[in-house]
Amino acid sequence: MTLLQALAEAGALRTLDHAFAQSLRRLDPATPDPVLAAAALASRAVADGHAGFDPARPRLLVDAALDWPEPAAWIDQLRASRWVAAPFDALSPTAADAPLVFEPGAGLLYLRRYREYEARLAAGLQRIAARPLDAGDPDAVADVFATLFPDANATSPARRRGRAEGAGEGSEGDRQARAAALALRRALLLVTGGPGTGKTTTIARLLVLRIAQALRSGRPPPRIALAAPTGRAAERMAESLRRAVQAIVAAGLDPAVHAALPGTLPETASTLHRLLGTIPDSPAFRHHADNPLPLDLLIVDEASMVDLPLMSKLVDAVADGAQLILLGDADQLPSVEAGDVLAAILAAAGPGDALQPADADALRPLLGEAAPADPDTTGLRGHRVQLLRGYRQDAGFDLAPLAAAARTGDADTALALLRGGTLRGIDFHEDALDPLDLRRDELLAHWQSLADAPDPAAALARAQRLRLLTALREGPQGARGLNARIEALLSGRRTGPAPAWFHGRLLLVTENSYRHRLFNGDIGICLRDDDGVPMAWFPGDAPGVVRAFHPAALPAHESAFAMTVHKAQGSEFDDVWLQLPRQAGRVLSRELVYTAITRARRRLHIAGSDQVLRDALARHAVRMSGLAWRLGGRDDAPVARAAAPASEAPTQGTLF
């Protein structure tokens, strides 16, 4: 049996993957079977979220004991094939016809388009990072900086008091101040940290500083845009920023800077698709390298959710001289689509605990002598600030210890905390397989209240109070199964399917509709209008504004009473129920658990067995990519998505 046949019989290939290999065979019957199998696996790799396929470690993609070719011989066959181009092989007469590219440096076989996405993204990030930020002298805003960060400078009286009391260096305030100061110097800035580490507060102060810098330098205010991968994440970002700016203004600012904020600070945030300008029935956008975004500063939140093709197109559209700031949490789930872009960028940027020596010198008037300097300037080092971990939590919600254990994969500590009963606001329903049996009346009361809200805006706000999150889409513990049961309970239909658009049905858009400006992940609700006609209501472009659509005109959608963790990424809810499946599987990982539990603001329920939770925390999300290698990541840089058995341990630059 050939390898291609064995893969097909093992269920390791989709119909599309197998058809791709068979097409190559029909075009050239002499193509060796290992090349055909590798082509099918390169296609399968993209479907699984990888940028490419590593023929030296095939079990990272297909964990099956097949008769795999010897890696060196397999790679030699690939490089000799007419279907596989070498990088930059523009002069080869067959290069234009080759659908695959083998990249020796990364050790990966790519579908040609994804190799180009990766190469263009790396070149674009390096282009932005290499250009000095021509925005004015940081010294000119020293007084504004001192107002925003009174304890940042080691020579300040408050900082001296803190050191005398044993506070030491490296506080959270230090990191936030360092990020804001570095934004005065670097065109590419990465601000990373977990929930509650102050990313939004830091960005609000950073923007005030950049506006003050422009004013003091006699320049026009910067053109600023806020963006996120999903509509809900964009809305949440704008809301948080508005609150943070109000707190800054209340604390007192230079009157000239204060007067410049309205009209300069954006009041809303956009999805990335909307920002770039979608073109109906086309994967291209209106803004690209030849028609860049008319911006001086772009801030992208939830960068871990952005996939490789979208990030490549976004970076292409950033104009020369513009500043790009990426915010995100490296410990969250990677994007659903191909690539783990943020993790790869951070692997090239290092730990984010020091500045480049030139930046430390230039920012000494703001940060004092305490700003650490790192002489290593390889890759993107010096472009990242990692905010210290301080999880978002209500006064009666002890999320931090559990989130830390989930992030590190410490199952013993996580289970001890859950079983100990000492974590306020957290309940572990061990071996519970159905939240609708556990708290049916309580959950139904919440969902019924959505239909009783005074208006659609209030209903959408109320919907954010509680959400069921699942690891799976299908099955009894999957989002679809739970939603079907909830629909039946709420609609009153005892037999047959629930009505498609009953009053109070919570909706989740599952595909982009550029015509409607509705995008995958947007949340809406079905409510009757004043005439009794069911309408689908979604958030508008301003706070409290909603948009109405006839349900029949909506793009693909489903109920959103229960959602997969991936779909919930970028959102927050007061109460979160995490329903784990009956059995462990590859979909479970510590990143999934960490992402799910950190969606909660005030209360968390985890339902499932201890063994499934242990298995989930023992597994990393695996993504194969060469992006960190292209960005010049060091050989001893940490591997962001290390996974798989020790025998399959990845080399640097192939797994992120």
Side-chain angles (χ1 to χ4, degrees):
M1 182 184 298
T2 66
L3 179 57
L4 183 62
Q5 290 173 327
L7 289 167
E9 291 195 7
L13 302 177
R14 301 171 301 158
T15 301
L16 179 64
D17 308 327
H18 192 259
F20 173 48
Q22 294 288 41
S23 295
L24 299 183
R25 187 200 301 274
R26 283 194 299 271
L27 291 169
D28 185 355
T31 304
D33 174 73
V35 173
L36 297 174
L41 290 169
S43 175
R44 156 74 190 273
V46 170
D48 282 5
H50 305 284
F53 164 63
D54 186 351
R57 296 168 181 81
R59 293 188 67 175
L60 290 176
L61 182 63
V62 178
D63 190 13
L66 302 178
D67 187 14
W68 298 105
E70 193 276 324
W74 200 359
I75 291 171
D76 286 343
Q77 284 183 302
L78 292 172
R79 298 177 75 171
S81 172
R82 62 170 292 190
W83 303 124
V84 181
F88 315 113
D89 192 11
L91 299 180
S92 169
T94 62
D97 298 326
L100 301 163
V101 178
F102 182 74
E103 185 78 71
L108 297 180
L109 179 70
Y110 295 86
L111 294 181
R112 187 186 189 94
R113 180 171 49 162
Y114 283 85
R115 187 265 173 193
E116 294 308 311
Y117 282 141
E118 195 176 88
R120 282 167 47 198
L121 174 56
L125 290 169
Q126 290 167 333
R127 167 182 62 87
I128 297 170
R131 189 179 182 96
L133 186 62
D134 185 18
D137 186 357
D139 292 359
V141 294
D143 59 322
V144 180
F145 188 86
T147 299
L148 298 172
F149 300 99
D151 301 339
N153 195 312
T155 62
S156 71
R159 179 66 174 274
R160 287 200 301 270
R161 284 196 301 273
R163 293 177 68 183
E165 293 166 3
E169 303 294 341
S171 72
E172 182 64 14
D174 295 341
R175 296 294 184 97
Q176 293 181 6
R178 193 184 307 162
L182 192 57
L184 304 176
R185 292 268 302 171
R186 288 286 161 189
L188 177 65
L189 179 62
L190 314 168
V191 181
T192 55
T197 51
K199 293 191 293 292
T200 302
T201 301
T202 302
I203 290 302
R205 296 177 181 180
L206 178 158
L207 290 176
V208 170
L209 270 179
R210 288 284 280 110
I211 293 169
Q213 186 184 34
L215 290 175
R216 301 285 175 84
S217 303
R219 302 167 184 265
R223 297 166 295 173
I224 303 169
L226 310 175
T230 67
R232 180 56 194 158
E235 182 183 353
R236 183 170 63 83
M237 179 189 191
E239 291 172 354
S240 300
L241 190 64
R242 283 192 294 270
R243 290 194 298 266
V245 170
Q246 289 171 358
I248 292 171
V249 169
L253 275 177
D254 178 303
V257 176
H258 188 177
L261 298 184
T264 302
L265 285 176
E267 296 183 357
T268 61
S270 169
T271 64
L272 292 175
H273 288 84
R274 197 176 304 157
L275 175 78
L276 291 171
T278 54
I279 301 174
D281 303 318
S282 171
F285 292 102
R286 300 188 189 281
H287 291 289
H288 42 74
D290 295 326
N291 180 32
L293 292 163
L295 298 172
D296 301 303
L297 197 166
L298 172 60
I299 297 175
V300 179
D301 197 11
E302 298 291 351
S304 64
M305 297 173 62
V306 185
D307 59 55
L308 175 60
L310 183 56
M311 186 67 85
S312 178
K313 294 171 185 178
L314 174 70
V315 169
D316 267 354
V318 175
D320 286 341
Q323 185 175 32
L324 175 63
I325 300 176
L326 301 179
L327 310 180
D329 184 353
D331 298 313
Q332 287 191 25
L333 280 167
S335 61
V336 177
E337 305 299 333
D340 192 357
V341 174
L342 181 64
I345 295 173
L346 298 183
D353 55 1
L355 307 177
Q356 290 191 7
D359 293 330
D361 290 341
L363 297 174
R364 190 169 288 114
L366 306 183
L367 300 173
E369 300 293 338
D374 183 354
D376 186 350
T377 59
T378 58
L380 296 178
R381 295 177 75 87
H383 292 265
R384 176 190 182 187
V385 177
Q386 169 72 17
L387 301 183
L388 301 181
R389 201 155 295 279
Y391 298 91
R392 176 199 314 112
Q393 60 185 53
D394 190 76
F397 186 34
D398 292 331
L399 179 62
L402 180 63
R407 179 178 62 86
T408 58
D410 188 347
D412 289 338
T413 297
L415 286 166
L417 289 168
L418 289 170
R419 289 169 171 158
T422 59
L423 297 179
R424 294 172 298 172
I426 299 178
D427 295 313
F428 182 39
H429 308 282
E430 193 166 359
D431 295 322
L433 301 177
D434 194 337
L436 296 181
D437 287 342
L438 282 171
R439 301 284 178 87
R440 172 174 168 167
D441 292 343
E442 176 185 329
L443 294 172
L444 284 180
H446 164 73
W447 292 319
Q448 288 166 345
S449 75
L450 304 182
D452 299 331
D455 55 65
L460 288 169
R462 191 175 292 178
Q464 294 303 112
R465 295 179 185 173
L466 181 146
R467 197 61 49 89
L468 296 185
L469 302 184
T470 73
L472 307 174
R473 287 180 57 83
E474 310 294 344
Q477 291 83 42
R480 286 185 174 172
L482 287 169
N483 276 322
R485 294 172 58 203
I486 295 166
E487 289 171 8
L489 291 169
L490 293 177
S491 68
R493 179 69 63 89
R494 295 182 178 275
T495 59
W501 304 304
F502 62 85
H503 186 68
R505 183 189 179 196
L506 206 56
L507 303 171
L508 172 70
V509 174
T510 57
E511 71 176 18
N512 296 331
S513 174
Y514 306 123
R515 180 166 60 92
H516 296 89
R517 292 190 299 119
L518 292 174
F519 299 95
N520 189 358
D522 286 356
I523 297 290
I525 190 166
C526 185
L527 295 173
R528 289 187 291 269
D529 64 11
D530 294 339
D531 297 323
V533 178
M535 299 293 288
W537 305 84
F538 287 83
D541 295 329
V545 175
V546 293
R547 297 185 294 148
F549 301 88
H550 192 283
L554 290 178
H557 58 279
E558 58 192 29
S559 288
F561 303 106
M563 299 168 59
T564 63
V565 177
H566 269 104
K567 291 291 187 183
Q569 199 168 351
S571 298
E572 298 175 0
F573 310 100
D574 290 345
D575 295 1
V576 165
W577 277 79
L578 172 60
Q579 179 65 53
L580 295 173
R582 294 175 185 269
Q583 296 180 340
R586 294 191 64 178
V587 69
L588 291 176
S589 67
R590 68 183 62 169
E591 289 84 2
L592 183 140
V593 174
Y594 171 83
T595 301
I597 67 177
T598 55
R599 300 308 91 204
R601 285 188 292 237
R602 297 179 182 174
R603 191 162 190 85
L604 172 67
H605 297 265
I606 299 177
S609 72
D610 64 341
Q611 189 57 53
V612 169
L613 185 58
R614 282 186 180 277
D615 290 345
L617 295 181
R619 182 185 295 274
H620 269 300
V622 177
R623 291 292 169 92
M624 287 180 279
S625 165
L627 182 57
W629 164 75
R630 295 181 196 281
L631 290 170
R634 300 188 319 176
D635 288 343
D636 60 347
V639 175
R641 301 288 181 192
S647 62
E648 298 291 341
T651 56
Q652 172 66 21
T654 58
L655 183 61
F656 293 98

